[in-house]
Amino acid sequence: METWRRVIADSITTPEELAECLDIGPGPLAPLVRRYPLRITRRYLGLIEKPGDPIWRQCVPDPLELLDDQFPDPLDEERLSPVPGLIHRYPDRAVWLVSNECAVYCRFCMRKRRVGCPLAGGGEGFWDDVLRYIKETSAIRDVILSGGDPLLLGDEHLESILAGLRAIPHVEIIRIGTRTPVTLPERITARLCRMLKRYHPLYVNTHFNHPREITPEAIKACARLADAGIPLGNQTVLLAGVNDDPAVMTHLMQQLLAIRVRPYYIHQMDLVQGTGHFRTNVETGLEIIGALRGHTSGMATPYYVIDAPGGKGKIPLLPDAVEKWGDTWLLRSFRGEIVEYRDR
């Protein structure tokens, strides 16, 4: 068995295991884990320094997950899915959900409704339907593999997907969204990188949220990908109690550049059911961007974006570039629509 598979097999998946590791009572965790599955690799759990710290908040279930009234699918991904497993929101891009598994089930996940659950429509026919749709839709030039985490697939399975996409002439770019450099760096093997290198132009966007996640193992994983000629970007989610502080976010962005990972997005938390306790207000995000602009390298300054509810797409925000009316923000979508957005 490959090392990364052994790490997954040894992960913490039950309230009892987690309670033993953290010296907490398992009782309150049981209903949470029945609703939203639990998985934490022991390496990632080892980054916790104290209860409630930024790593703890990201991976340890919280009773608040069962108390908010937000929506399971606020971005309308199901409506924008022409075939099971594919999201086609923008004209020239599509997101292919190739996995429902992750090395760590982050408690703020935008797809809490599906991660850790069986992959709907899985099987060879499922992949064929997706590839057929992409092949028949000539406007699609950019395909993002997402999930779950695509790198929880084995090398052979992942390569069959990449080869299928590369056989479609109008698919110019393939992107992979993965958090494994953070949560499962053992997955970034020399063999995997040799395989990925055959499918350029290929981009990887990873997901660091806090400077403590930039461990020696994570640095090595990113270096392997970069040395294979794969451009690396990072998408950070703005999370209360984790990185909602200009100094923390500045340090994170600077450290990412130092390991050859280009900051790409800071995401405002989506209005996803079970994640309301992570939300900050928009002013916090604008303050952070204001602290980055001009005070550190432009390369270390990502876009701050809101993924507008209803599937209207990502909208970048800059200080003094949005309008507020009462408790409502007025945002302009990529189609020129004015979108009303409430952050509380």
Side-chain angles (χ1 to χ4, degrees):
M1 183 185 291
E2 295 171 275
T3 299
W4 69 270
R5 293 188 186 275
R6 289 199 298 270
V7 172
I8 289 291
D10 189 43
S11 295
I12 293 152
T13 59
T14 69
E16 292 74 21
E17 290 175 300
L18 186 59
E20 184 177 347
C21 291
L22 298 180
D23 194 26
I24 57 177
L29 299 178
L32 280 164
V33 173
R34 283 195 295 270
R35 178 76 174 275
Y36 301 119
L38 166 69
R39 180 188 280 165
I40 312 172
T41 56
R42 294 182 185 273
R43 182 189 298 278
Y44 192 74
L45 190 75
L47 299 180
I48 292 174
E49 295 180 349
K50 61 183 180 181
D53 76 3
I55 308 301
W56 175 296
R57 283 183 60 79
Q58 291 184 76
C59 66
V60 176
D62 189 315
L64 293 173
E65 293 175 40
L66 299 179
L67 298 182
D68 77 54
D69 58 356
Q70 298 181 142
F71 303 101
D73 181 23
L75 304 184
D76 259 6
E77 291 186 334
E78 305 297 338
R79 179 180 64 82
L80 295 167
S81 182
V83 293
L86 191 79
I87 303 163
H88 191 186
R89 175 183 298 136
Y90 300 102
D92 71 336
R93 282 153 285 170
V95 177
W96 187 354
L97 305 178
V98 298
S99 170
N100 272 4
E101 284 195 76
C102 293
V104 172
Y105 292 140
C106 299
R107 310 318 298 181
F108 55 85
C109 181
M110 65 174 293
R111 297 194 180 105
K112 282 178 81 83
R113 69 187 188 279
R114 60 181 293 158
V115 293
C117 304
L119 188 65
E124 292 182 6
F126 169 60
W127 307 124
D128 290 345
D129 289 345
V130 172
L131 286 169
R132 186 179 304 111
Y133 178 86
I134 295 171
K135 185 175 182 178
E136 293 174 353
T137 310
S138 59
I140 296 176
R141 52 176 293 278
D142 182 354
V143 176
I144 301 102
L145 302 184
S146 187
D149 197 313
L151 296 192
L152 265 286
L153 300 176
D155 289 358
E156 295 77 11
H157 195 169
L158 182 60
E159 183 163 21
S160 70
I161 292 170
L162 295 173
L165 290 171
R166 275 284 161 254
I168 301 173
H170 57 262
V171 173
E172 300 172 7
I173 296 168
I174 300 173
R175 291 187 269 173
I176 297 174
T178 179
R179 190 153 152 81
T180 55
V182 179
T183 57
L184 186 66
E186 298 87 348
R187 178 64 185 101
I188 311 302
T189 62
R191 180 172 180 260
L192 171 69
C193 292
R194 284 195 300 271
M195 183 273 286
L196 294 176
K197 192 174 180 178
R198 293 197 286 270
Y199 295 95
H200 283 311
L202 182 77
Y203 297 77
V204 167
N205 279 323
T206 188
H207 185 169
F208 290 83
N209 286 325
H210 193 273
R212 290 214 326 255
E213 294 176 334
I214 303 178
T215 63
E217 296 80 13
I219 293 170
K220 182 179 178 181
C222 290
R224 275 186 165 168
L225 291 166
D227 288 346
I230 299 171
L232 301 176
N234 187 73
Q235 302 192 59
T236 293
V237 180
L238 182 58
L239 301 167
V242 175
N243 55 21
D244 56 337
D245 176 88
V248 170
M249 196 69 85
T250 299
H251 184 48
L252 173 62
M253 298 303 147
Q254 292 171 338
Q255 291 302 300
L256 286 170
L257 274 187
I259 64 169
R260 293 188 283 173
V261 178
R262 176 73 183 269
Y264 180 33
Y265 282 144
I266 295 175
H267 287 272
Q268 175 72 3
M269 268 295 303
D270 296 320
L271 299 164
V272 174
Q273 190 173 59
T275 68
H277 55 296
F278 284 108
R279 290 180 59 72
T280 67
N281 56 38
V282 171
E283 283 96 339
T284 299
L286 292 173
E287 178 189 358
I288 287 170
I289 291 298
L292 288 168
R293 292 173 70 205
H295 297 278
T296 191
S297 166
M299 290 177 62
T301 305
Y303 293 102
Y304 171 45
V305 297
I306 290 176
D307 215 338
K312 296 185 183 299
K314 294 182 180 68
I315 300 172
L317 278 68
L318 290 170
D320 305 318
V322 293
E323 183 178 348
K324 193 172 186 182
W325 184 35
D327 63 351
T328 302
W329 292 87
L330 302 180
L331 316 175
R332 186 179 298 275
S333 79
F334 76 102
R335 298 186 188 277
E337 303 166 284
I338 299 300
V339 179
E340 295 187 1
Y341 181 86
R342 293 179 176 83
D343 59 14
R344 289 292 185 186

